[in-house]
Amino acid sequence: MLADPSSFVVVASYRDKYGPLGKIAVITGKVLEKRLHLNAWVMSCRAFSRRIEHHCLKYLFEKFSADEIVFDFQTTPRNGPLQDFFVELLASPPQPGLTISRTSFFAKLPPLFHNVEEKENG
């Protein structure tokens, strides 16, 4: 997959005042012009509700100058926190192939208080 120059992998780590949680999210996808197609987004349930999910999407929109993010989404019994997150952003239940525009995401983005550091291949 990574031999394709349009593919990417983003790994997020997190630490708070109590110490590191380690690697808490992995996102894979492809960049096709100004649109990102995510085929996997795995995030620790301990990381959800800390607005790290918001940071992940904000990072993707900014890093790739994307206008839209398309998700290869399937409802499962284990992705309830992600479903809730999408309902918050979309005001409706998520469907396969859901798309979030940069404009709508940033219009609903709550205040974020974390510091984000980018480490290439680290």
Side-chain angles (χ1 to χ4, degrees), residues 27-120:
I27 304 168
T28 65
K30 285 187 169 204
V31 181
L32 300 171
E33 296 182 14
K34 294 287 212 170
R35 180 181 274 187
L36 300 182
H37 291 263
L38 301 190
N39 53 26
W41 184 6
V42 180
M43 180 177 268
S44 164
C45 59
R46 295 184 316 164
F48 260 94
S49 301
R50 296 180 189 215
R51 297 191 178 165
I52 298 168
E53 59 275 24
H54 296 85
H55 271 292
C56 287
L57 291 187
K58 182 177 184 281
Y59 175 83
L60 292 173
F61 275 115
E62 292 175 346
K63 173 74 175 176
F64 297 104
S65 299
D67 291 334
E68 292 183 324
I69 299 177
V70 180
F71 297 83
D72 185 10
F73 175 79
Q74 298 294 320
T75 300
T76 70
R78 297 191 63 181
N79 66 6
L82 182 61
Q83 293 175 51
D84 294 341
F85 174 64
F86 285 143
V87 167
E88 173 190 326
L89 290 178
L90 303 169
S92 63
Q95 300 296 320
L98 73 94
T99 300
I100 297 176
S101 74
R102 178 186 196 93
T103 304
S104 67
F105 174 74
F106 280 96
K108 294 187 178 188
L109 183 64
L112 301 176
F113 304 104
H114 301 91
N115 294 321
V116 175
E117 299 174 14
E118 182 174 351
K119 296 182 181 181
E120 293 285 332

